[in-house]
Amino acid sequence: RFGEYCKRLFPHGMEIGERESSVLDDTLLKSGIDRTLSESYLDLVSQTRQMLMEGQHQSGNNSRVTMFEGAVNHDYFYVRPDILDKIVKTGENNQTELRVIEVKSKSWDSRHTVESKMLTANKKSIKSLYLPNIQDVAFQSLVCRLAYPDFRVSSWLMMPDRAKKMKCSSVHKILADREVPTIE
């Protein structure tokens, strides 16, 4: 449900295909070392690439393309980030940023610093509770950097914040009405 809420934060976003992980798993298991992707997955990669290279939504001085469940591959690596958000900043340097956003239902508390929540006491490693999330978005970002070397790729985790309160009667109402509630 949090994933559906996050999609509402990007009203211009577009869904890319359906998530069929079992098809990919079967393909990878059968193909062994040669690991090839099925045609349906290559179609998703192609659709994502086309939208990233051509599609635009104008917003002020920026153009933006947002996709849900986009598909990106490079060689044998294949990822489906929850949200791909490409922002082209027009002006002097026309910089293109590709935000790889991974949505997690694990809650966060913004009243604490990132260091106190994510790092161990000696501040030398990431707590095991957050490590899989960080590894997940890091791998997705790596594949995106390899596939789109001209973009500045950034990694994001989107998690519900325990320190914030939503102004709404129920989560079901949000999903049914397709509304994004305000946050205090």
Side-chain angles (χ1 to χ4, degrees), residues 72-74 79 84 98 100 137-156:
V72 179
N73 81 306
H74 180 79
V79 294
L84 282 172
L98 181 61
V100 177
V137 74
F139 178 71
Q140 291 179 17
S141 295
L142 170 68
V143 175
C144 289
R145 281 187 186 98
L146 293 170
Y148 299 101
D150 294 336
F151 294 171
R152 191 179 128 250
V153 177
S154 60
S155 309
W156 299 75

Side-chain angles (χ1 to χ4, degrees), residues 10 12-14 48-59 61-68 81 83-90 94-101 144 148 150-154 156:
F10 300 91
H12 58 279
M14 297 171 55
T48 300
R49 178 171 289 281
Q50 181 178 0
M51 286 191 62
L52 283 174
M53 302 315 268
E54 298 173 8
Q56 293 185 0
H57 169 78
Q58 292 295 332
S59 175
N61 290 334
N62 301 330
S63 64
R64 188 173 208 164
V65 176
T66 304
M67 288 172 279
F68 309 120
I83 302 171
L84 282 172
D85 189 31
K86 181 185 110 174
I87 302 169
V88 179
K89 296 179 181 174
T90 56
N94 287 340
Q95 189 175 22
T96 301
E97 178 182 10
L98 181 61
R99 294 178 179 178
V100 177
I101 303 170
C144 289
Y148 299 101
D150 294 336
F151 294 171
R152 191 179 128 250
V153 177
S154 60
W156 299 75

Side-chain angles (χ1 to χ4, degrees), residues 14-68:
M14 297 171 55
E15 191 84 28
I16 301 293
E18 295 294 322
R19 225 180 160 118
E20 301 173 10
S21 60
S22 62
V23 174
L24 177 61
D25 292 343
D26 290 344
T27 301
L28 293 178
L29 287 174
K30 291 176 186 172
S31 63
I33 295 173
D34 292 329
R35 293 187 187 177
T36 58
L37 297 174
S38 68
E39 285 185 31
S40 64
Y41 278 86
L42 292 177
D43 288 344
L44 295 174
V45 169
S46 176
Q47 185 182 359
T48 300
R49 178 171 289 281
Q50 181 178 0
M51 286 191 62
L52 283 174
M53 302 315 268
E54 298 173 8
Q56 293 185 0
H57 169 78
Q58 292 295 332
S59 175
N61 290 334
N62 301 330
S63 64
R64 188 173 208 164
V65 176
T66 304
M67 288 172 279
F68 309 120

